[in-house]
């Protein structure tokens, strides 16, 4: 798979139900999990759902919910360096 600026990173956010889905962001999440990289938004959504389905993320707590985001690779790489 080609790795360039047009690639998207699956980002899975686990947030408290005390947050609204809109307020569930990387800096407010209880946990942030980086999934596979994809070439477009549709594949990002599909692979994000498949990634969650293959793991024990779902059902960790009734006080948590999952949000799948698709983020460009450049901002992700910059954030990981900090």
């Amino acid at each position: 798979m080609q790795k360039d600026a047009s690639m998207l990173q699956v980002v899975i956010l686990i947030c408290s139900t005390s947050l609204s889905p809109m307020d569930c962001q990387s800096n407010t999440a209880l946990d942030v999990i980086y999934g596979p990289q994809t070439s477009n938004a549709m594949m990002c959504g599909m692979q994000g759902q498949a990634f969650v389905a293959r793991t024990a993320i779902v059902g960790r707590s009734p006080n948590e919910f999952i949000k799948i985001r698709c983020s460009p690779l450049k901002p992700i790489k910059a954030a990981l360096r900090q």
Side-chain angles (χ1 to χ4, degrees), residues 2-82:
Q2 180 181 340
K3 294 184 180 184
D4 62 24
S6 65
M7 296 291 291
L8 296 172
Q9 176 78 51
V10 174
V11 180
I12 299 164
L13 304 173
I14 301 173
C15 292
S16 169
T17 54
S18 65
L19 290 175
S20 72
M22 183 180 274
D23 291 333
C24 177
Q25 302 294 324
S26 297
N27 62 332
T28 59
L30 300 171
D31 204 358
V32 178
I33 301 166
Y34 295 96
Q37 296 173 2
T38 64
S39 58
N40 62 58
M42 185 172 74
M43 289 304 298
C44 183
M46 290 173 53
Q47 288 190 19
Q49 290 178 25
F51 185 86
V52 169
R54 289 190 309 264
T55 65
I57 296 171
V58 176
R60 288 182 358 163
S61 167
N63 299 324
E64 297 173 350
F65 69 93
I66 293 171
K67 180 176 178 178
I68 298 171
R69 294 191 57 194
C70 300
S71 297
L73 281 179
K74 284 188 175 184
I76 299 270
K77 288 180 179 179
L80 289 175
R81 283 193 294 260
Q82 293 179 2

